Amino acid sequence: MFDKDKKTPISSPPPTDISPNGTISTPSLLSNPFISMGSATAAATATAAGYFAQGQFEQVQELASKGSVSIRLCAILGGLALIVTSVLGFLQRFVSFRWVGAILNIYTFGLGCVMILLEGKQSSTLG
């Protein structure tokens, strides 16, 4: 296809003019009707992509708030394991007079309790 006025192919790039000081000027891209149609298509695609991303974000947010039952179970079992090992470690370090290790086991016991409390609170809302 040719442009009737200029006898050049429509798909050819716009002409450029080089000024004496060396700067290059090109005509505005908005004067090309094919680019403006592409912009409309790009805007529609961007809008559709935005809706898709928003839907995916909502799904991820729902999964993060509810969580998986198997992951909750593993977290509760991990909390119980922390409590058991910290109590046994505390007794062993207390008897052998390793006070720093015994204090660390107290903190580990607290961490296990926090894990069970947080995961237990979520699993009580399973319904």
Side-chain angles (χ1 to χ4, degrees):
M1 261 187 180
F2 287 93
D3 190 355
K4 293 179 183 177
D5 296 332
K6 298 179 183 174
K7 303 286 185 196
T8 59
I10 292 177
S11 63
S12 67
T16 58
D17 296 326
I18 301 176
S19 65
N21 63 1
T23 59
I24 299 173
S25 64
T26 59
S28 172
L29 293 177
L30 296 177
S31 64
N32 189 339
F34 293 107
I35 292 177
S36 62
M37 284 191 310
S39 298
T41 304
T45 304
T47 303
Y51 288 134
F52 177 76
Q54 183 179 4
Q56 293 298 315
F57 177 74
E58 289 172 357
Q59 285 180 354
V60 168
Q61 193 174 19
E62 181 180 338
L63 284 174
S65 66
K66 288 183 179 178
S68 173
V69 176
S70 61
I71 293 176
R72 285 187 196 172
L73 181 64
C74 287
I76 290 173
L77 291 177
L80 286 174
L82 272 175
I83 289 173
V84 169
T85 58
S86 65
V87 167
L88 294 176
F90 175 78
L91 292 175
Q92 187 256 338
R93 285 178 176 82
F94 185 76
V95 170
S96 63
F97 300 110
R98 296 182 188 163
W99 305 113
V100 176
I103 292 172
L104 288 176
N105 280 321
I106 292 172
Y107 285 117
T108 307
F109 177 81
L111 178 66
C113 290
V114 167
M115 283 179 65
I116 289 177
L117 287 174
L118 291 176
E119 292 299 325
K121 186 183 292 186
Q122 284 184 351
S123 60
S124 67
T125 60
L126 282 175

